[in-house]
Structure formats: structure tokens, C-alpha cells
Amino acid sequence: MSVFNKINDILLNSNKPSIELEKLFKEDEFIKSDFRIIGDLKNVPQDKKFHPEGNVWNHTKMVVDLAARIKEYSENSKNFMWSSIFHDIGKVKTTRFIKGRYRSYNHDIEGEKITYKILKNYMNEEEAVNISEIVRFHMHHIYILKDLPFADIEKLIKSSNYNDIILLFICDKLGRGSKGIEEKIDTINEVEFILEKIERYEANINIEISKRLQKINDIVIK
């Protein structure tokens, strides 16, 4: 089985993908593959204030494991799970220590490019484009929440990946350090607030995702 197929199988069928992925990363076949860049995330530090869990791979493992728990609510579980493991891949090239902090400016933009460049060789064009787009939008929960100029809400709401982008917001936010119940509740409330802001652009766009959010809430608030 190829490295791609091994990762794909883990992402789609494991209840906690991080365990099997750690084992795979030690195999020579993985180390020589295009996917070795995922392993490079272990060498990318993050600001402890926002990421007490440590390096980018530690964060990614938490995101992937949570994504596995809620993937049944995604529109396309394969695309959703691949976007969860690639969402911060751009940090490999963009992370710098600036003014006393590790920063990764434009890692979402760079991540889209890297994701597409790799996955187009293993998936059909539509899948590679869709996964890359989810990666590109994964920072929008911050951009929208803080009214930053980087947000492109009009393009977001037109995306066929809208539902899965919102789900990745949740995973990305919760995949940090050790979150208590109150923090998890705050995260869900934060996503609901973001959805309200999006509805200023298009009313009723969140009817279905809001229903799913209630069920996801029962999964993550444990």
C-alpha cells in the first residue's frame, strides 16, 4: 500500500488518527515520500501563549483527532480529513521569530499552494482543489471574529466547502493545549457568533450547519 493510501486509510477509518500517523512517520517509505513535509511540522515551533501544546505537529494531531470525531457531519469526510492534516502545512515555510514571538504570516495562502502541489498527484483535480480551498480558508474564524481585512466572506459563503470550512474552524480552535469544559463551550459560542456575522451577508445560509453544530456540541463538550 502506498504512503498516500496508508494516510488516507488512517484518516478515514481511525478513531484517533494521530496514533497511527506517528507510527507511519517512522517508516522509510514515508520519509522518502512527498508527505514527509507533514513530519516536518514537528520542527516548527509556535507561540506558547496561543499554542501551549507546543510545535505545529502537536497541534495538528489534536486537530486531526477531533476532526475524526466529527467527520460524520462534514459534507465530504475525505476532503475534510485531508484538510485537517494539511491545514497548517504552510507554517513549514512561513514561520519566523519576529519581535519576541513565533509568527507565521500568510501560512494559509502558502498552505493552499503546498497542499494542491502535493495532492494533485494523488487525487483527482476536484478533490485537490477543494481540500486546498479549505486549507486556504481555515484562518477565517480569526479574520471574521476580529473584523480583519483579510477576510473574504463573500467568497467563503459561495464556496461548496462552506460547511467543512466551518467544522475546521472548530477543530483548529479546540486543538490547542488542554481545553476545559468552559473553554470548549466558549469555542462553540464563538463559532455561533461568527455564523451570525456571516449571515449579515447572506440570510439563512447557516440553517443546516447550525443544526449540525448542536450535535457536534454534544461530542466535543465532554
Side-chain angles (χ1 to χ4, degrees):
M1 185 183 293
S2 69
V3 172
F4 168 77
N5 286 330
K6 287 181 180 179
I7 296 175
N8 192 61
D9 182 62
I10 292 169
L11 291 176
L12 294 181
N13 298 309
S14 176
N15 293 324
K16 194 169 184 180
S18 63
I19 296 175
E20 296 302 316
L21 288 170
E22 283 279 16
K23 295 177 182 177
L24 179 63
F25 286 4
K26 297 176 183 178
E27 297 182 6
D28 288 340
E29 187 181 10
F30 172 83
I31 296 171
K32 296 175 183 177
S33 76
D34 293 335
F35 298 98
R36 64 185 179 276
I37 190 172
I38 302 174
D40 291 342
L41 293 173
K42 292 183 177 182
N43 302 318
V44 183
Q46 298 182 113
D47 190 279
K48 292 183 178 180
K49 177 180 179 181
F50 302 103
H51 287 280
E53 72 280 359
N55 63 54
V56 182
W57 175 236
N58 287 342
H59 165 64
T60 300
K61 286 191 294 183
M62 297 175 74
V63 171
V64 170
D65 285 349
L66 180 53
R69 293 171 61 194
I70 68 173
K71 68 178 183 293
E72 64 182 290
Y73 299 106
S74 64
E75 289 291 335
N76 186 306
S77 58
K78 180 179 180 181
N79 291 352
F80 176 58
M81 291 305 300
W82 275 99
S83 68
S84 73
I85 197 172
F86 268 98
H87 81 282
D88 269 350
I89 203 70
K91 288 186 176 181
V92 172
K93 291 190 175 182
T94 63
T95 299
R96 302 286 186 276
F97 192 70
I98 302 173
K99 296 181 179 179
R101 282 179 51 191
Y102 287 105
R103 302 172 188 266
S104 305
Y105 295 128
N106 297 320
H107 74 273
D108 47 350
I109 298 172
E110 187 64 30
E112 178 184 28
K113 298 175 184 176
I114 295 172
T115 301
Y116 177 75
K117 183 178 180 180
I118 293 175
L119 293 184
K120 67 181 177 63
N121 298 316
Y122 300 91
M123 298 177 172
N124 63 52
E125 177 72 9
E126 183 177 9
E127 288 177 323
V129 168
N130 283 330
I131 295 167
S132 300
E133 183 179 66
I134 299 172
V135 170
R136 173 67 178 84
F137 275 108
H138 85 274
M139 285 292 290
H140 268 56
H141 64 92
I142 294 176
Y143 299 160
I144 296 171
L145 187 67
K146 297 185 177 182
D147 295 314
L148 297 176
F150 316 113
D152 190 345
I153 297 178
E154 292 184 358
K155 185 175 181 179
L156 171 63
I157 61 180
K158 291 177 181 178
S159 172
S160 61
N161 300 300
Y162 178 76
N163 177 89
D164 294 355
I165 292 168
I166 301 299
L167 295 194
L168 190 56
F169 287 175
I170 297 170
C171 297
D172 190 21
K173 183 68 175 177
L174 287 177
R176 302 164 190 241
S178 180
K179 295 287 186 181
I181 296 297
E182 291 301 319
E183 290 176 297
K184 292 178 179 179
I185 292 173
D186 287 344
T187 294
I188 297 297
N189 290 337
E190 185 175 283
V191 172
E192 290 177 342
F193 179 65
I194 290 170
L195 295 180
E196 289 176 6
K197 297 185 77 169
I198 292 173
E199 286 214 336
R200 298 173 189 173
Y201 289 76
E202 183 171 331
N204 301 319
I205 188 176
N206 295 311
I207 293 176
E208 291 304 316
I209 186 67
S210 293
K211 292 178 182 177
R212 296 178 183 184
L213 199 60
Q214 294 302 316
K215 297 177 181 177
I216 290 170
N217 182 73
D218 295 335
I219 295 174
V220 300
I221 308 300
K222 290 182 179 180

